[in-house]
Amino acid sequence: MTKRSVRIAPSLLSADFGAFRQAAMDCIEAGADALHYDVMDGIFVPNITFGTHPIAALRRDFDVHFEVHLMIQSPERYIEDFARAGADTIIIQPESTVHLQRTLALIKQNGKQSGVALNPSTPLNVLEYVLDDIDHLLIMTVNPGFSGQKFIPAMRTKIADAARMIESSDKDIVLEIDGGVTADNAQEMIDLGATALVSGSGVFGYPGGVKCGIKALLAAV
Ligand code: DX5
Ligand code: ZN
C-alpha cells in the first residue's frame, strides 16, 4: 500500500461545546490540516448546531483552514455571513438549494473555495455541469445530521467513481470523505481515491482524547 499525502479535518461537531476553543487548539497542535465546522438548521437535517458566532471567535485566535459544511436549507442566504466570519472553504449540499451553480458562484465571488457535499443517495451526475465551479467534493458516507454513525458500505463504489470523475476532468478538486471515518478505515479511503478525511467521533472519542485520536489517524495513513 502506498502512503499518500492526505488532509485531515477533525469535525468540531464531536467536541465538547463548553470547551470549543481548547478543542480547536488541541486539533491544531496534534497536526490537523483543517477544522471542519458542521452547520445544521433543524430543517435540512434534524439536528441544530451552531452559526457564524463560534467560527468568528475561533478565527480571531487561530490561523487554520476552516471548512464550513452547510447542512441548511437555502444556503445562499448565509454565504456572505460565513465568508465574513472566517470560512476558507464553504461546502453546500445540492439537495438544499434550487440554484446550485449560482450559489457556488456566490462562494467564489466572496473569495472562498467552493465545495459540494452529496448525500449518500445523491448521484455524482448532479455535478456534471458544475465541475468548473467547485474546488472541493465531499462524499457523505453517512446521512448528514449527526456524528457517530456507521460508514455506509455502498459509498466505497461512489468514492472510487468520484475519484475517476475528478481524474478525467483534469481539475484540481479535493475529494473528501465525511462520516464514519476512523483510523481503521482511513487508509482504505485513500486507496479508493480520497485526498481529505473528516473525522468527528473517530478522533474526539478516541481513548486518551482528541490529540491521541488525530495522531492515530495520521499514523494510519
Ligand atoms: C455529519 C457531519 C459530519 C460528522 C462526522 O452530518 O457532516 O462532519 O461530524 O462525524 P463522524 O466522523 O463521527 O461520523
Ligand atoms: Zn460534515
Side-chain angles (χ1 to χ4, degrees), residues 11-14 36 38 40 45 69 71 138 140 142-149 178-181 198-202:
S11 166
L12 292 173
L13 180 59
S14 293
H36 186 84
D38 287 301
M40 305 184 186
V45 290
H69 179 189
M71 286 158 278
L138 187 149
M140 287 303 303
V142 297
N143 286 291
F146 303 95
S147 60
Q149 302 179 84
D178 187 6
V181 175
V198 177
S199 183
S201 53

Side-chain angles (χ1 to χ4, degrees), residues 71-114:
M71 286 158 278
I72 63 175
Q73 201 58 45
S74 305
E76 56 275 13
R77 297 173 296 150
Y78 291 103
I79 301 301
E80 287 167 20
D81 289 351
F82 278 102
R84 217 175 304 122
D88 297 292
T89 299
I90 301 180
I91 303 166
I92 57 171
Q93 300 255 168
E95 309 88 354
S96 69
T97 180
V98 175
H99 301 290
L100 178 61
Q101 197 280 337
R102 178 185 284 161
T103 310
L104 291 168
L106 182 61
I107 297 171
K108 302 299 276 186
Q109 283 158 24
N110 278 271
K112 305 301 175 186
Q113 304 271 295
S114 60

Side-chain angles (χ1 to χ4, degrees), residues 150-205:
K150 274 211 163 64
F151 180 91
I152 298 171
M155 295 302 105
R156 290 190 177 94
T157 307
K158 191 173 183 182
I159 297 165
D161 289 346
R164 268 192 295 277
M165 181 185 76
I166 290 170
E167 200 174 329
S168 60
S169 77
D170 225 16
K171 296 183 195 302
D172 191 15
I173 297 173
V174 174
L175 179 58
E176 185 164 52
I177 313 305
D178 187 6
V181 175
T182 67
D184 291 337
N185 63 10
Q187 183 60 48
E188 186 191 4
M189 300 299 111
I190 295 165
D191 292 339
L192 289 167
T195 57
L197 303 174
V198 177
S199 183
S201 53
V203 289
F204 279 95

Side-chain angles (χ1 to χ4, degrees), residues 15-30:
D16 174 354
F17 282 18
F20 224 37
R21 191 179 176 285
Q22 184 64 46
M25 190 147 65
D26 286 348
C27 289
I28 295 164
E29 283 178 6

